[in-house]
Amino acid sequence: MSMDLDAPVPMGAFEQDQTAATILCCNCGAPIDGTKAVGALCQDCVKLTVDITQGIQREAVLQCCKDCERWLQPPTSWISASLESKELLAHCLRKLPGLSKVRIIDASFIWTEPHSKRIKVKITIQQEAFQGTIVQQTFEVEYVVASLQCADCKKSFTVNTWNSSIQLRQKVPHKRTFLYLEQIILKHNAHRDTINIKEAKDGLDFYFAQRNHADKMLDFLSSVAPMKVKKSQELISMDVHTSSKSYKFSFSAELIPICKDDLVVLPIKLARSLGNIYPLTLCHRVGTTVNLLDPTTLQTTDIPTGTYWRSPFRNLADVTQLVEFIILDIELVGRSNGRFHLAEATVARASDLGSNDQTYFTRTHLGGVLHVGDTVLGYHLNGANFNDLNFEELEASNQGSAIPDVVLVKKFYARKKKNKARNWRLKRMAREYEEEALHQQQAGSTNRKQEQERNRLEEDFEMFLRDVEEDQELRGTLDLYKAQRRAAANGDMEMDDESEDEEVPQIDMDELLDDFDELNMNDHE
């Protein structure tokens, strides 16, 4: 009998030889593959009987400072993290020591009531239960938020705990510069390290727990305003055994007493060194340097901080001495410098209309915005007496004949509507007033002087708000916020007021930010 080796073999013979051994699960009796079974258990029974979350806490405690809302990271460090942020999630996972032995696949927050003082986190982990078997499980961990007070907040509620202070001063009769600095500080959050801010005469006082915070604040202020700084220190304590000493540092920062729209007379020698500009100038902007403008020729110059403090001088007149003039005739000369256009104008004081026919001829840089019949604010120099050595030197020189009778500063917009009709607001910093004034206010003994001071502050703030509306360049450096709309009952009245002030510059809604909650609506509404 012969056998054909090339004859095909039936498929059933190989299938019978390759059939896997099947066993029953020792727990539930389900048939499973014996070659892949782990401990004679099916996959469902492995998930039910093996717990890879053993040794991981299901409850923990988080310490949070109730004042600064920072979280304690033992032993002594504090971290800043908002609710449901990745920083807070990482801090929660670090509180569970058993997680270091497993692999974390996913972690997320579970919503809880904001006032429940509970934080729930859902965690998914993986671990090798048996050789060649990886088990994945999901569980929840509940954290109890315990209120605590950090060391920095403890110091802020006690007296004489500051380490460094900055006394910022400017000796001018108005607060426009400080109002501008306040908005710049708020925009860049430069006051985040201060433990207290007090309002004092001619300025503000900033208090810090560490000296490096004060140095950082000084660097910021020097980058936005020209100033000079003096440092002083006071010995608090000294250890004779280790020669260690503790000091309190005070920094006196004085701003240049020249503000926007001030009339300035330069020393003749300094004016010649600054491009031979005419000494009688207008300050049109104050930044890291003082920017001056000659309104009769449109020539500009900058005075660096160091140059000013080597030979300081004061302004000849400030915005509190501005006078209203009426434009009777104006004609463009044809010269321009940026947004300034030179023009020749004939003006008369608003108070002289109807009583005399006194008119004044002058050159102005406002040719691009002024028209016949407009009201403009300016300085009246004809017949005025100034106690200024630089002005007397200018009058005695050969350039004294070029002194104009009137120097126009800016266009005046008549406003009939109230401040509440503005569709924008500014933030204000939380500050404390002088202790003496605060005690008198609490006692109810407000005198006439305090009432005048309060009215003056309101006038300065209103003047600053008008500058923001009228100066687009100034407005671009600040953060403006949308105001909450008034009740519908007042809607018609607001529309009437807005129709009366059509000529007043309006701020576009695209320039405003949506941040209602952080606004202090009680201030200057």
Side-chain angles (χ1 to χ4, degrees):
M1 181 177 181
S2 64
M3 180 179 296
D4 189 0
L5 297 178
D6 296 332
V9 180
M11 292 296 297
F14 284 105
E15 291 179 357
Q16 293 176 1
D17 296 338
Q18 295 178 357
T19 302
T22 301
I23 63 174
L24 298 180
C25 176
C26 64
N27 190 12
C28 63
I32 57 176
D33 187 355
T35 60
K36 299 180 181 180
V38 179
L41 293 174
C42 63
Q43 293 183 359
D44 296 334
C45 292
V46 170
K47 294 179 181 180
L48 293 176
T49 57
V50 178
D51 186 10
I52 62 175
T53 64
Q54 289 183 352
I56 301 178
Q57 297 180 359
R58 301 301 179 95
E59 294 182 355
V61 179
L62 298 177
Q63 285 84 16
C64 179
C65 179
K66 58 183 179 181
D67 297 315
C68 63
E69 297 182 353
R70 293 187 300 173
W71 304 87
L72 175 62
Q73 185 174 351
T76 57
S77 60
W78 295 80
I79 60 174
S80 298
S82 59
L83 292 177
E84 297 190 2
S85 63
K86 60 180 181 180
E87 292 83 4
L88 181 58
L89 182 60
H91 178 63
C92 293
L93 297 179
R94 283 194 294 266
K95 296 289 291 184
L96 302 177
L99 287 179
S100 59
K101 301 179 182 180
V102 297
R103 181 184 179 185
I104 301 176
I105 300 301
D106 186 26
S108 61
F109 288 101
I110 300 176
W111 186 86
T112 56
E113 288 289 342
H115 303 288
S116 63
K117 294 293 183 180
R118 298 292 188 274
I119 296 178
K120 292 184 178 181
V121 179
K122 183 174 68 172
I123 305 174
T124 302
I125 62 175
Q126 283 184 355
Q127 190 181 25
E128 188 176 7
F130 305 99
Q131 184 177 4
T133 302
I134 297 178
V135 179
Q136 177 175 312
Q137 290 185 351
T138 301
F139 62 100
E140 297 179 3
V141 180
E142 181 176 338
Y143 297 88
V144 179
V145 179
S147 298
L148 198 63
Q149 196 173 39
C150 63
D152 295 336
C153 293
K154 289 179 181 178
K155 289 182 179 180
S156 65
F157 285 95
T158 57
V159 296
N160 299 326
T161 57
W162 55 270
N163 175 266
S164 301
S165 67
I166 297 177
Q167 300 173 356
L168 189 63
R169 299 290 184 270
Q170 186 185 38
K171 298 179 181 179
V172 293
H174 55 82
K175 296 282 188 180
R176 295 171 65 205
T177 302
F178 286 100
L179 291 172
Y180 174 72
L181 281 179
E182 179 184 8
Q183 299 305 317
I184 295 296
I185 291 173
L186 287 171
K187 179 178 181 178
H188 298 278
N189 198 22
H191 65 302
R192 59 182 177 273
D193 296 325
T194 58
I195 60 176
N196 195 10
I197 301 175
K198 288 186 178 180
E199 185 167 359
K201 183 179 180 181
D202 296 332
L204 295 171
D205 292 339
F206 300 90
Y207 296 92
F208 304 88
Q210 300 178 17
R211 180 184 173 182
N212 60 340
H213 294 163
D215 293 336
K216 187 177 180 181
M217 184 70 169
L218 281 175
D219 293 340
F220 173 79
L221 293 175
S222 300
S223 65
V224 296
M227 65 178 65
K228 68 175 181 179
V229 181
K230 293 182 180 179
K231 171 191 169 185
S232 63
Q233 58 187 23
E234 178 186 359
L235 181 64
I236 302 301
S237 62
M238 180 178 64
D239 190 349
V240 296
H241 301 288
T242 60
S243 298
S244 61
K245 302 177 182 179
S246 176
Y247 291 95
K248 275 189 175 182
F249 301 92
S250 297
F251 300 91
S252 176
E254 182 180 356
L255 296 173
I256 287 181
I258 297 177
C259 303
K260 183 177 178 292
D261 298 333
D262 284 358
L263 185 63
V264 179
V265 177
L266 299 173
I268 296 180
K269 184 177 179 181
L270 179 61
R272 290 173 180 172
S273 65
L274 297 174
N276 198 22
I277 190 173
Y278 188 69
L280 186 63
T281 59
L282 275 177
C283 176
H284 68 93
R285 185 174 65 248
V286 177
T288 54
T289 60
V290 180
N291 307 117
L292 301 179
L293 166 72
D294 181 6
T296 61
T297 62
L298 300 185
Q299 184 180 357
T300 59
T301 187
D302 297 337
I303 302 180
T305 305
T307 303
Y308 175 84
W309 290 115
R310 281 194 294 268
S311 57
F313 53 89
R314 294 193 60 86
N315 55 359
L316 185 66
D318 55 52
V319 292
T320 59
Q321 303 172 0
L322 291 174
V323 181
E324 290 187 18
F325 293 90
I326 304 298
I327 301 295
L328 303 180
D329 186 20
I330 187 169
E331 182 178 355
L332 292 174
V333 176
R335 188 183 307 173
S336 62
N337 185 0
R339 60 189 177 97
F340 303 123
H341 299 271
L342 188 62
E344 295 179 347
T346 302
V347 299
R349 286 197 305 178
S351 59
D352 292 342
L353 294 179
S355 60
N356 56 56
D357 297 331
Q358 182 69 38
T359 60
Y360 305 95
F361 176 81
T362 184
R363 282 193 167 195
T364 178
H365 61 291
L366 303 175
V369 295
L370 294 181
H371 304 86
V372 176
D374 288 346
T375 303
V376 62
L377 298 178
Y379 297 105
H380 190 203
L381 305 183
N382 185 23
N385 294 322
F386 297 102
N387 186 15
D388 188 272
L389 295 177
N390 295 328
F391 187 72
E392 295 176 0
E393 184 181 358
L394 178 62
E395 287 181 322
S397 66
N398 54 3
Q399 296 177 324
S401 59
I403 298 177
D405 295 333
V406 174
V407 178
L408 303 182
V409 178
K410 59 181 179 179
K411 185 177 179 179
F412 177 74
Y413 298 92
R415 290 171 170 81
K416 299 180 181 180
K417 63 182 180 180
K418 299 180 180 180
N419 303 338
K420 295 182 179 180
R422 286 191 173 97
N423 62 344
W424 57 277
R425 289 290 185 270
L426 292 174
K427 284 185 181 180
R428 302 302 305 275
M429 286 193 306
R431 65 185 75 174
E432 294 183 4
Y433 295 91
E434 291 181 328
E435 296 182 359
E436 180 180 355
L438 184 61
H439 293 326
Q440 292 180 359
Q441 185 177 2
Q442 292 176 351
S445 59
T446 57
N447 52 23
R448 181 179 179 182
K449 183 178 179 180
Q450 294 178 355
E451 186 69 23
Q452 292 177 350
E453 181 69 16
R454 189 181 301 109
N455 294 336
R456 186 178 67 85
L457 292 177
E458 293 180 357
E459 292 176 359
D460 291 343
F461 189 76
E462 173 62 22
M463 187 182 303
F464 177 71
L465 294 180
R466 294 188 179 188
D467 289 341
V468 173
E469 287 178 339
E470 299 170 6
D471 193 344
Q472 185 176 3
E473 184 178 353
L474 172 65
R475 190 164 64 245
T477 61
L478 308 179
D479 281 344
L480 308 182
Y481 298 88
K482 296 179 182 178
Q484 291 179 334
R485 308 306 292 171
R486 305 299 174 186
N490 299 332
D492 297 338
M493 182 175 63
E494 289 184 4
M495 294 179 60
D496 294 341
D497 290 339
E498 290 180 359
S499 62
E500 293 178 356
D501 295 343
E502 292 179 354
E503 296 183 357
V504 178
Q506 301 293 331
I507 298 179
D508 192 0
M509 295 296 292
D510 296 337
E511 302 180 36
L512 306 181
L513 303 178
D514 297 320
D515 193 0
F516 305 121
D517 297 334
E518 295 182 15
L519 289 175
N520 189 353
M521 303 302 295
N522 296 327
D523 292 340
H524 305 283
E525 285 197 351

